[in-house]
Amino acid sequence: MSVVVVGSVAYDGVETPHGKVDRMLGGAATYIGLAASYFAPVKIVAVVGDDFAPEDVDLLSGRGIDLEGLERVPGKTFFWEGKYSADMNDRITLRTDLNVFAGFAPKLPESYRAAPYLLLGNIQPELQRGVRSQMRGLRLAGGDTMNYWIRDYRDELIETLRDWDFLLINDSEARMLSGEHNLRRAAAAILDFGPSALVVKRGEYGAILFAADCHFLAPGYLLDNVFDPTGAGDSFAGGFIGYLAERGVSAAEGAGDIRELRRAVIYGSVMGSFCCERFGVDRFRTLTRQEIEDRYREFQACTDF
Amino acid sequence: MSVVVVGSVAYDGVETPHGKVDRMLGGAATYIGLAASYFAPVKIVAVVGDDFAPEDVDLLSGRGIDLEGLERVPGKTFFWEGKYSADMNDRITLRTDLNVFAGFAPKLPESYRAAPYLLLGNIQPELQRGVRSQMRGLRLAGGDTMNYWIRDYRDELIETLRDWDFLLINDSEARMLSGEHNLRRAAAAILDFGPSALVVKRGEYGAILFAADCHFLAPGYLLDNVFDPTGAGDSFAGGFIGYLAERGVSAAEGAGDIRELRRAVIYGSVMGSFCCERFGVDRFRTLTRQEIEDRYREFQACTDF
């Protein structure tokens, strides 16, 4: 069953201890869409400028991604530039040119509205809410947010979360949103806002899934080499929603599907780990479903006791 | 089967966001011994001053710990004072009075020498080696070390590790000892020094067990409240060696017992998590084996997918 993905499609300039790329395809919707496309049909809603390259369109459509909702407007595509610390646990933003993304108002093609799955990438909460309300017959909807919206758009964000089945954020964002340092208490406060599931991403340390009466601890995959962490969190989100869409999981079934949610978190971790193995989206140029399944089984082997 | 534990027995002054205790029982051998005592008979080798309180002797002997190797000398017991940061991920040392511990030369009672298990707490590597060489018929031996020995006693430490079956250290120590940032590569380098198993402790993020051809990812237990993390790493070590001693695991069986080593890591995590629930050793005053088993099963429930 298909997944609508809303968010940024961008160009990134990235420097890590392993090298530097001045300009490459990036953006949350790009990573989410590519990762999800291994599991389910994906439909992207985003905006790019007239500089958006044909080969980047080809990469997305080559993965079967529906680009009817990829709006093209005069001007330049969103550009972000950042540099990672030596251990790659921190990064600094060197440049953010919103360009055509500054006026992004997601336009949902008619053909997207009946899709059963929705993943709202990190954009203004009001815009996320607008998209959510245009969808008919959703089985599962959720998304991501970030510190900026938590701090400056708190009321809108909380209003938006009310209609989500799941929220995917990192640990510092969970603490900021809840006002609680302890993650168990932070999660309880966030689940009170509406979502029935919360996934707290912890970078190299894995992720935790919180639901009403239980939680699931997923370790981080131990990579031999982290080449470039850009997009890992979005790839996680793509693997998570993609797997749930493939399995037809519905929010209506509630906690009955907690086992599928756990597996979705592992598939998310698998996709995030692959993303870090090359610069930008490069790993998705060659990645196969078989490699994904092999790594999923590796997760099982490394966690069984 | 019994475990010989060598290390410090001390008094600690600790401040955390939850309170402050000026003086309480502490020290690596204390925590290791208390935690291990839930699984196997423990024999401690340590030194205390003439200020060591009868009630602290009673706590240790009340857990069945053999104190024949607890030497008493004139002077004061080792005293350490520290203060934790607001999130308890960092701590600063305010005071270290080595006192009688400055001249610690472990004296192994004759009745200890045939014990099959040995856990060497964090002391001078040369002293650790001396103890190891006095033991007869060991089934499994290993221990802990710290940044100070890694930096200033590197050659002695590497010589010492040659005869260990396992090493338990934290992630920054593993990086320092190996000179590798990536944990997989760091572990490979450390296993080359001699130990057939390496456990890398990652605090709240859990632990990783590395052996020749595999690794095991254990998540950290998600506590509702971390009261005082002092001794958590040593309690981990105690649970780890205690479980292996209870099960009679032998280094001679090598990788065949990797499953038992995995379970030992989980029991270590269980004991570390209990330790954080109260100040100092207080949790061990009431903890029961049943609670340990319940938490072990909780680990299974929270990690199964």
Side-chain angles (χ1 to χ4, degrees):
Chain A
M1 293 190 237
S2 60
V3 182
V4 169
V5 174
V6 185
S8 58
V9 169
Y11 284 114
D12 293 341
V14 171
E15 186 174 350
T16 84
H18 296 283
K20 188 172 186 292
V21 176
D22 291 332
R23 183 183 171 89
M24 62 185 182
L25 180 61
T30 303
Y31 284 102
I32 298 167
L34 286 171
S37 73
Y38 285 86
F39 303 88
V42 172
K43 300 168 181 297
I44 275 184
V45 180
V47 64
V48 292
D50 43 28
D51 59 345
F52 197 66
E55 60 264 32
D56 294 324
V57 172
D58 291 348
L59 174 66
L60 298 172
S61 58
R63 292 264 350 125
I65 296 174
D66 186 339
L67 300 178
E68 192 188 339
L70 182 68
E71 191 186 359
R72 255 174 195 278
V73 300
K76 285 188 167 183
T77 301
F78 181 14
F79 181 78
W80 173 83
E81 192 180 341
K83 185 178 172 177
Y84 287 85
S85 63
D87 65 4
M88 282 181 283
N89 283 329
D90 294 299
R91 71 177 186 197
I92 50 165
T93 290
L94 299 173
R95 195 170 144 190
T96 307
D97 299 336
L98 288 176
N99 298 330
V100 300
F101 193 65
F104 181 45
K107 290 178 193 62
L108 214 58
E110 186 53 39
S111 65
Y112 282 28
R113 297 183 190 218
Y117 295 88
L118 174 63
L119 197 298
L120 294 153
N122 163 40
I123 56 172
Q124 223 263 34
E126 192 83 33
L127 296 178
Q128 292 176 317
R129 192 141 56 102
V131 174
R132 169 74 182 78
S133 69
Q134 292 173 61
M135 300 288 292
R136 301 184 294 262
L138 278 171
R139 293 174 73 87
L140 209 64
D144 188 15
T145 190
M146 70 182 290
N147 51 4
Y148 175 66
W149 311 118
I150 296 171
R151 198 182 52 225
D152 294 349
Y153 290 74
R154 188 177 172 80
D155 293 345
E156 287 179 32
L157 176 61
I158 287 172
E159 184 65 26
T160 299
L161 292 180
R162 206 183 290 235
D163 296 322
W164 289 13
D165 302 306
F166 63 86
L167 170 65
L168 297 152
I169 48 179
N170 69 34
D171 42 6
S172 67
E173 290 161 351
R175 289 177 169 128
M176 193 177 180
L177 177 57
S178 63
E180 292 276 2
H181 179 77
N182 180 281
L183 283 182
R184 268 178 111 139
R185 288 202 301 274
I190 292 169
L191 293 178
D192 275 347
F193 293 147
S196 53
L198 167 68
V199 179
V200 175
K201 295 174 289 176
R202 305 165 109 189
E204 64 169 311
Y205 300 114
I208 312 176
L209 167 70
F210 292 94
D213 299 314
C214 63
H215 65 268
F216 168 62
L217 301 161
Y221 183 79
L222 218 55
L223 282 163
D224 266 320
N225 223 325
V226 174
F227 227 73
D228 172 15
T230 310
D234 292 317
S235 301
F236 181 107
F240 178 81
I241 192 70
Y243 175 76
L244 294 171
E246 180 180 50
R247 303 287 294 175
V249 173
S250 164
E253 294 154 42
D257 266 329
I258 191 75
R259 183 159 288 269
E260 290 289 26
L261 285 172
R262 289 170 176 233
R263 291 176 183 151
V265 168
I266 299 294
Y267 276 105
S269 302
V270 165
M271 300 310 285
S273 73
F274 278 120
C275 179
C276 296
E277 292 184 345
R278 297 280 183 284
F279 264 95
V281 301
D282 276 358
R283 190 62 180 87
F284 297 115
R285 296 182 198 275
T286 58
L287 183 68
T288 65
R289 181 66 190 252
Q290 188 55 51
E291 289 178 295
I292 295 169
E293 294 308 318
D294 289 347
R295 186 157 294 181
Y296 182 88
R297 276 191 289 273
E298 217 180 318
F299 260 95
Q300 289 179 308
C302 289
T303 56
D304 184 46
F305 64 89
Chain B
M1 294 191 235
S2 59
V3 183
V4 170
V5 174
V6 185
S8 58
V9 169
Y11 284 115
D12 292 342
V14 171
E15 186 174 351
T16 82
H18 297 283
K20 188 171 184 298
V21 176
D22 290 332
R23 183 182 171 89
M24 62 185 183
L25 180 61
T30 303
Y31 284 102
I32 298 167
L34 285 170
S37 72
Y38 285 87
F39 303 89
V42 171
K43 300 168 181 297
I44 275 185
V45 180
V47 64
V48 292
D50 43 27
D51 60 344
F52 197 65
E55 60 263 32
D56 294 325
V57 172
D58 291 349
L59 174 67
L60 298 172
S61 57
R63 291 265 349 125
I65 296 174
D66 187 339
L67 300 178
E68 192 187 339
L70 182 68
E71 190 186 1
R72 254 174 196 280
V73 301
K76 285 189 166 180
T77 301
F78 180 14
F79 181 78
W80 173 83
E81 192 180 342
K83 184 179 172 177
Y84 287 85
S85 63
D87 66 4
M88 281 181 283
N89 284 331
D90 294 299
R91 72 178 185 195
I92 49 166
T93 290
L94 299 173
R95 196 170 141 189
T96 306
D97 298 337
L98 288 177
N99 299 330
V100 301
F101 193 65
F104 181 47
K107 291 177 192 63
L108 214 58
E110 185 54 38
S111 66
Y112 282 27
R113 298 184 188 216
Y117 294 89
L118 174 63
L119 196 299
L120 295 153
N122 162 38
I123 55 172
Q124 222 264 36
E126 192 83 32
L127 296 178
Q128 292 176 318
R129 192 141 55 103
V131 174
R132 169 73 181 79
S133 68
Q134 293 173 60
M135 300 288 293
R136 300 184 294 264
L138 278 171
R139 292 174 73 88
L140 208 65
D144 188 14
T145 191
M146 70 181 290
N147 52 3
Y148 175 66
W149 311 118
I150 296 171
R151 197 183 51 225
D152 293 350
Y153 290 73
R154 189 177 173 80
D155 293 345
E156 286 179 33
L157 176 61
I158 287 173
E159 184 64 27
T160 299
L161 292 180
R162 205 183 289 234
D163 295 323
W164 288 14
D165 301 307
F166 62 87
L167 169 66
L168 297 152
I169 46 180
N170 69 33
D171 42 6
S172 67
E173 290 161 351
R175 289 175 170 131
M176 194 177 178
L177 176 57
S178 63
E180 291 277 1
H181 180 77
N182 180 280
L183 283 182
R184 268 180 111 139
R185 288 200 302 272
I190 291 169
L191 293 178
D192 275 347
F193 293 148
S196 53
L198 167 69
V199 178
V200 175
K201 296 174 288 177
R202 305 165 109 188
E204 64 169 310
Y205 299 115
I208 312 176
L209 166 71
F210 292 94
D213 299 314
C214 64
H215 66 268
F216 168 61
L217 301 161
Y221 183 79
L222 218 54
L223 283 162
D224 266 320
N225 223 326
V226 174
F227 227 73
D228 173 15
T230 309
D234 293 317
S235 301
F236 182 106
F240 178 80
I241 191 71
Y243 176 75
L244 293 172
E246 180 180 49
R247 303 289 293 176
V249 173
S250 165
E253 293 154 41
D257 266 329
I258 192 75
R259 183 159 289 269
E260 291 289 26
L261 285 172
R262 288 170 176 234
R263 290 177 184 150
V265 168
I266 298 294
Y267 276 105
S269 302
V270 165
M271 300 310 285
S273 74
F274 278 120
C275 179
C276 296
E277 291 185 346
R278 297 281 183 283
F279 264 95
V281 300
D282 276 359
R283 190 62 180 87
F284 298 115
R285 296 181 197 277
T286 58
L287 184 67
T288 65
R289 181 64 191 252
Q290 188 55 53
E291 289 178 295
I292 294 169
E293 294 308 317
D294 289 348
R295 185 156 295 179
Y296 182 88
R297 276 190 289 273
E298 217 180 317
F299 260 95
Q300 289 179 309
C302 289
T303 55
D304 185 45
F305 63 91

